[in-house]
Amino acid sequence: MCRWLAYSGSPMLLDAVLYRPEHSLINQSLNARLGVESTNGDGFGIGWYSADGVGDGTPAVFRDIAPAWNNRNLRELAGHVRSPLFFAHVRASTGSAIQQTNCHPFRHGRWLWMHNGAITDFERLQRDLCMAVDPALFSSIEGSTDSEVMFYLAVTYGLDQDVPGAVARMAGLVERLGKEHGVADPLQMTVAVSDGQRVWAFRYSSQGRSRSLYYSSKAETVRRLHPETHFLSEVSDATRVVVSEPLGDLPGVWNELPEASYTVIPSPPGEDYLPFIPEPP
């Protein structure tokens, strides 16, 4: 499986989130604590939106098949790129090829998407899943992963209009086809998706035993609990992080996202998370 991180809030150097924490994502690429594999060395990727509005609103993406822990170009970029919203992903392949087009995050227009998990027996469902992708989008699929097919199914099912609904319809199709093909528990996913303004993060599995996913407490809460964390004085109260596993062990900072639920950043008042239920497409 994989490990990933989504950041949204005050513009921040990528280095401050990717490298500096005690159990950073770069550390997790070599020594994950909660993943199926402890090593996630089958490539990595980062995607970020501009901090100053330069460009057309589409995110930049940098992906490579090298392990994240010793990539000099990643270290160089992280020390110079400042962004209010970025994704980072370290990959452990579930069987698809180790190639750049299979590294996350995936991009389409203004959208970024990354995934940890798998479609069980993907090779049995792949043709039917791909046939459900909008023909106008099909040529945009560059790699061979289930994750990218899931992304373009979500785009097909209305990601532009209704993110939770589009992801629910994608999950519903996977589960329906899994049942038709005799695949037990076909879907395992933690997914992050963003349009540059908001981040949605989903945790779901057909088996009801999903991969780990955590979201950070509000910055004001962490400042009150841990006044010694000086870097938090620089960020807004809306700043949040969603991670496959916590970046450190400070009490009160990390909250596990419940099974079959999703969160949105910025969060609606009083709603840290909402239920997620697959729907028939």
Side-chain angles (χ1 to χ4, degrees):
M1 298 296 171
C2 310
R3 304 282 84 183
W4 60 254
L5 171 155
Y7 172 91
S8 175
S10 299
M12 180 77 70
L13 277 175
L14 274 59
D15 173 82
V17 182
L18 296 186
Y19 284 91
R20 296 184 197 174
E22 171 191 354
H23 188 50
S24 70
L25 189 70
I26 305 305
N27 177 272
Q28 292 175 33
S29 70
L30 193 57
N31 186 31
R33 298 170 180 171
L34 302 180
V36 175
E37 299 89 1
S38 60
T39 302
N40 298 273
D42 296 331
F44 69 86
I46 53 175
W48 69 94
Y49 295 87
S50 172
D52 50 16
V54 172
D56 58 2
T58 59
V61 174
F62 171 58
R63 302 182 294 178
D64 201 337
I65 61 171
W69 64 76
N70 68 353
N71 192 281
R72 296 178 64 184
N73 289 329
L74 176 61
R75 189 69 195 240
E76 182 74 12
L77 279 172
H80 290 83
V81 172
R82 186 181 299 272
S83 171
L85 198 162
F86 57 87
F87 283 7
H89 185 281
V90 291
R91 185 172 183 245
S93 172
T94 55
S96 55
I98 300 171
Q99 60 192 43
Q100 193 178 93
T101 53
N102 284 345
C103 294
H104 310 222
F106 302 101
R107 175 182 61 190
H108 178 74
R110 73 180 190 275
W111 294 100
L112 281 178
W113 172 283
M114 60 185 174
H115 168 233
N116 172 39
I119 295 176
T120 304
D121 291 339
F122 176 59
E123 66 280 359
R124 294 169 60 185
L125 309 184
Q126 184 174 8
R127 182 181 182 277
D128 288 345
L129 290 170
C130 288
M131 291 295 288
V133 173
D134 185 334
L137 297 170
F138 188 79
S139 62
S140 297
I141 300 175
E142 296 184 320
S144 58
T145 65
D146 51 0
S147 304
E148 191 177 16
V149 173
M150 291 165 64
F151 178 29
Y152 281 97
L153 284 168
V155 177
T156 297
Y157 290 139
L159 199 63
D160 278 323
Q161 292 78 39
D162 174 15
V163 172
V167 177
R169 288 185 283 276
M170 175 276 293
L173 177 68
V174 173
E175 294 201 317
R176 191 193 78 193
L177 290 175
K179 182 177 180 180
E180 291 175 2
H181 286 267
V183 177
D185 304 321
L187 184 59
Q188 172 71 246
M189 71 175 205
T190 64
V191 162
V193 59
S194 179
D195 61 358
Q197 300 299 317
R198 289 176 288 178
V199 175
W200 292 261
F202 300 84
R203 185 181 185 219
Y204 178 79
S205 66
S206 306
Q207 193 178 17
R209 298 174 59 187
S210 302
R211 301 293 180 249
S212 58
L213 195 63
Y214 294 80
Y215 63 93
S216 64
S217 298
K218 293 180 179 179
E220 61 186 83
T221 301
V222 180
R223 277 194 290 265
R224 185 173 64 250
L225 290 172
H226 304 285
E228 73 281 3
T229 53
H230 301 299
F231 82 94
L232 288 175
S233 63
E234 305 171 8
V235 303
S236 69
D237 290 340
T239 297
R240 308 290 284 273
V241 187
V242 184
V243 293
S244 292
E245 57 186 77
L247 303 182
D249 299 322
L250 289 176
V253 174
W254 301 104
N255 310 278
E256 185 174 14
L257 191 67
E259 281 283 346
S261 66
Y262 73 94
T263 188
V264 186
I265 304 172
S267 300
E271 292 184 345
D272 278 352
Y273 56 86
L274 295 163
F276 177 78
I277 302 172
E279 301 174 5

